[in-house]
Amino acid sequence: MSHNIAYSTADKADVLAYLGSKGDLTPDRQRRLGGMRKDARAHQEALDHQGVDWGLSIPDALDHLIAGRTDADAECAGNAYHSALQHIIDHNASDPSHLGTYAKPSTFFGLVDDEMRRLGVPADLLPHGYLYGGLPEGFPYLPSSIDGYPAIGHLPLAKAKPAADAYRAVLDRMDPDFRYDVRELIEKLEFEHGEWEYATKNIDWYTQDTLFFKLT
């Protein structure tokens, strides 16, 4: 089974504002929450149509997150919580972009990490670390998804250029099997850095600070 990796940019504080809010939100955030609930219901209907039962519905998982709890004891509760949180991210982030589709992305990027580590890329910039690194500091604990997916990763936008620069510096010395995918990652990180740098300097209301990765 193949897995997709997508990403978008957001202000992590905008996402955190919903978690444990108990519905005490600004009118704009209440409006966004309505959209999240609608998408959560549609997502659940798609799972029901496929005969997938996680023991906790995505709409209920979303309600749990808003209430500040992640204590459902269903075996696949982590799948529902990750899906619900992704809907919160989606409604507070840029339009998603596609990074790639992989048969075994964790294995592939684990090998990329090994190769980059051998070539001197700093540990905090290795891609597997942030693709599978979970949520930013300050976010609540989520139970892991069964079989590892869906998953959420993140990279501070301030690290996008350092990561791209570090990868580009070793690209020609990497195993050829990794170069295409790493080059694609470099180009996407450089683009997001450029957007972030421009917006931070020129748009007063812009506060995005995080690349969120969606693995499904």
Side-chain angles (χ1 to χ4, degrees), residues 11-78:
D11 182 340
K12 63 180 182 292
D14 288 340
V15 180
L16 269 173
Y18 291 86
L19 307 181
S21 68
K22 298 179 172 59
D24 183 14
L25 299 164
T26 65
D28 179 65
R29 285 176 173 156
Q30 286 283 4
R31 177 185 60 79
R32 291 173 189 262
L33 179 57
M36 296 170 204
R37 294 191 191 283
K38 180 179 178 181
D39 287 353
R41 289 193 297 269
H43 192 168
Q44 185 61 47
E45 288 171 4
L47 292 178
D48 292 344
H49 183 72
Q50 297 167 37
V52 175
D53 182 5
W54 286 338
L56 174 68
S57 74
I58 298 173
D60 285 348
L62 179 59
D63 286 343
H64 285 196
L65 294 178
I66 300 302
R69 49 176 291 219
T70 57
D71 58 355
D73 58 5
E75 182 180 5
C76 297

Side-chain angles (χ1 to χ4, degrees), residues 8 81-91 151-152 213-214:
S8 56
Y81 284 132
H82 277 84
S83 296
L85 182 54
Q86 187 63 57
H87 286 300
I88 297 177
I89 293 170
D90 289 347
H91 280 266
I152 299 171
F213 294 91
K214 173 183 179 180

